[in-house]
Amino acid sequence: MADLEEQAEVMRRAGYRLTEPRKTVLRVLAAAHGFMDAAAILESGRLIHPHLGRVSVYRTLDLLTELGLARKVHAADDCHSYARADLLEGHYLVCERCGQITEFPCEGLDEMIKSVTQRYGFSVHGHLLQLEGLCPSCQR
Amino acid sequence: MADLEEQAEVMRRAGYRLTEPRKTVLRVLAAAHGFMDAAAILESGRLIHPHLGRVSVYRTLDLLTELGLARKVHAADDCHSYARADLLEGHYLVCERCGQITEFPCEGLDEMIKSVTQRYGFSVHGHLLQLEGLCPSCQR
DNA sequence: CTCCCTGCAAACATTTTGCATATCA
DNA sequence: TGATATGCAAAATGTTTGCAGGGAG
């Protein structure tokens, strides 16, 4: 799960400081149950840390992505949003309406990846299996 | 395969005219062996139809997407590119280096989708299975 | 001949960069 | 204290809109 202290440790080890803006972005993402774009993170972040600057949000998101603490979400129309990394390991359901993300275990996927890569000679480093649709509550 | 006449028919049936700019974008995408963004399509398109305007490229891409003749590619950093629809039905390999796309048959995926959706109560309308890595020639 | 489509320019939205100041370790 | 990181403003980038003229059917 999203543990701030654990994430802080990852940052420190990589030689980065744990500053207020960075902590703020981490907290905002940790509290989200779906994905958020830079503008939404800024808005929420300013409730915690009013001095937060827009630029720091962008820079922090880049940093978190680089460190593997956050990930970009590739929804059909929205490719500029982020979620904390532990919320999406690469295979998840996205609700088209409310944006909620539900991660699911990827049983069978590794198998498929292996056979496909052997067949085509690709060396695969990452995967993205995203199912788009409506979550139970948005179906009503 | 990408057959211009066939695509033209889809457009006509939907009540759209087959104009020079639209034909140009279709030809450019048909000739691509990977994905291209609006700027690249404009550049290539102008070799065929020098009068092509930037705006028409955007509008045509929207239209083609709507009609199911093109699709957005969700590469890690590049979410603003398109490829012709028959090149990617939702499950493909993307080379991180050269951008080439290789579609593969999705045996087993439907099965997986069904079980996952039953379990979580989602109604799924679309999927995206993308494997990122290096194609055989870029591995060297 | 009519309406849809185009291209230009300008408006908009979003992200990045330059730089002086503030801050974490 | 010193190197990093911040925040502002401005620039760069990417996309959309308004509108007069052009072309497909």
Side-chain angles (χ1 to χ4, degrees):
Chain A
M1 259 300 135
D3 178 63
L4 195 60
E5 189 45 49
E6 209 173 286
Q7 298 177 318
E9 190 54 32
V10 172
M11 294 187 61
R12 271 189 229 103
R13 283 192 196 180
Y16 296 102
R17 290 182 186 167
L18 192 66
T19 63
E20 271 311 310
R22 286 171 180 172
K23 268 193 267 185
T24 303
V25 172
L26 282 172
R27 284 211 188 96
V28 168
L29 283 180
H33 38 210
F35 53 80
M36 301 178 75
D37 67 7
I41 293 170
L42 178 65
E43 193 186 358
S44 292
R46 280 187 167 156
L47 299 176
I48 305 173
H49 177 54
H51 211 56
L52 182 63
R54 187 195 316 283
V55 183
S56 294
V57 172
Y58 283 110
R59 284 191 285 225
T60 302
L61 287 172
D62 281 350
L63 180 62
L64 297 180
T65 303
E66 185 190 314
L67 295 177
L69 298 173
R71 273 185 181 235
K72 214 174 242 199
V73 174
H74 296 261
D77 285 323
D78 183 356
C79 290
H80 299 265
S81 292
Y82 291 81
R84 44 183 227 268
D86 66 313
L87 197 61
L88 40 110
E89 296 294 336
H91 24 268
Y92 49 90
L93 293 149
V94 181
C95 178
E96 292 167 333
R97 216 169 135 270
C98 70
Q100 189 174 58
I101 290 174
T102 305
E103 171 93 25
F104 62 84
C106 67
E107 23 180 73
L109 190 56
D110 289 339
E111 195 74 13
M112 184 189 296
I113 290 174
K114 200 194 287 179
S115 87
V116 166
T117 54
Q118 276 178 355
R119 188 141 132 208
Y120 295 94
F122 256 74
S123 70
V124 169
H125 307 139
H127 69 269
L128 176 67
L129 172 55
Q130 179 178 293
L131 307 181
E132 287 164 48
L134 292 175
C135 71
S137 38
C138 286
Q139 282 173 45
R140 280 172 253 140
Chain B
M1 259 296 138
D3 180 62
L4 194 60
E5 189 44 49
E6 210 174 285
Q7 298 177 319
E9 190 52 33
V10 172
M11 295 188 62
R12 270 188 228 106
R13 282 194 196 179
Y16 296 101
R17 291 181 185 167
L18 193 67
T19 62
E20 271 312 310
R22 287 171 179 172
K23 269 193 268 185
T24 302
V25 172
L26 282 172
R27 284 211 188 95
V28 168
L29 283 179
H33 38 208
F35 52 80
M36 301 178 76
D37 66 7
I41 292 169
L42 178 65
E43 194 186 358
S44 292
R46 280 187 167 157
L47 298 177
I48 305 173
H49 177 53
H51 211 55
L52 182 63
R54 186 193 318 283
V55 183
S56 293
V57 172
Y58 283 109
R59 285 191 284 225
T60 302
L61 287 172
D62 282 350
L63 179 62
L64 296 181
T65 302
E66 186 191 314
L67 295 177
L69 298 174
R71 272 186 182 235
K72 215 176 240 197
V73 174
H74 295 262
D77 285 322
D78 182 354
C79 291
H80 299 265
S81 292
Y82 292 80
R84 44 183 226 266
D86 65 313
L87 199 61
L88 41 110
E89 295 294 335
H91 25 268
Y92 50 89
L93 293 148
V94 181
C95 178
E96 292 167 332
R97 220 171 132 269
C98 70
Q100 188 173 59
I101 291 174
T102 305
E103 170 93 25
F104 62 84
C106 68
E107 23 181 75
L109 190 55
D110 290 337
E111 195 75 12
M112 182 190 296
I113 290 173
K114 201 194 287 181
S115 89
V116 167
T117 54
Q118 276 178 356
R119 188 142 132 208
Y120 295 94
F122 257 72
S123 70
V124 169
H125 306 140
H127 69 269
L128 177 67
L129 172 55
Q130 178 178 295
L131 307 180
E132 286 164 49
L134 291 176
C135 71
S137 37
C138 287
Q139 282 173 44
R140 279 173 255 139

